[in-house]
Amino acid sequence: MNLEILTPDKKVFDGEVISVTVPGTMGSFEVLNNHAPIISTLEKGQVTIRTATKTEKLIINGGAIEVIDNKIIVLAEGVIES
């Protein structure tokens, strides 16, 4: 799956991932390979990115996510890398 995390200022992440966990408005959820298409709003919270070699964690200030055909786009209002 390809994940792209964008803020108004810059592209924070762009690459292949195994999974990503995001802070959805109705609770956090994980996106895995072949996930059903979804568009959701995001709250302030932790985004966990799992690649083949490492796990990264970021804190976002809210935003939105779109998942379609194994392409994930997170539009974040802002990111605090942790």
Side-chain angles (χ1 to χ4, degrees):
M1 296 185 303
N2 187 54
L3 170 66
E4 202 171 0
I5 300 177
L6 305 168
T7 68
D9 301 331
K10 63 181 178 175
K11 186 181 291 191
V12 177
F13 184 93
D14 188 6
E16 289 294 313
V17 298
I18 295 170
S19 73
V20 61
T21 303
V22 294
T25 302
M26 301 294 286
S28 74
F29 63 93
E30 184 174 30
V31 177
L32 298 168
N33 197 31
N34 296 320
H35 194 285
I38 187 173
I39 294 175
S40 177
T41 55
L42 302 175
E43 296 292 316
K44 181 176 182 178
Q46 181 173 285
V47 175
T48 304
I49 304 162
R50 291 175 195 83
T51 67
T53 57
K54 63 182 176 176
T55 299
E56 287 184 53
K57 295 183 181 184
L58 308 169
I59 304 296
I60 64 168
N61 291 328
I65 184 171
E66 177 188 57
V67 179
I68 190 164
D69 294 331
N70 287 326
K71 180 163 176 66
I72 307 160
I73 300 173
V74 174
L75 301 174
E77 294 172 10
V79 172
I80 304 165
E81 298 184 37
S82 59

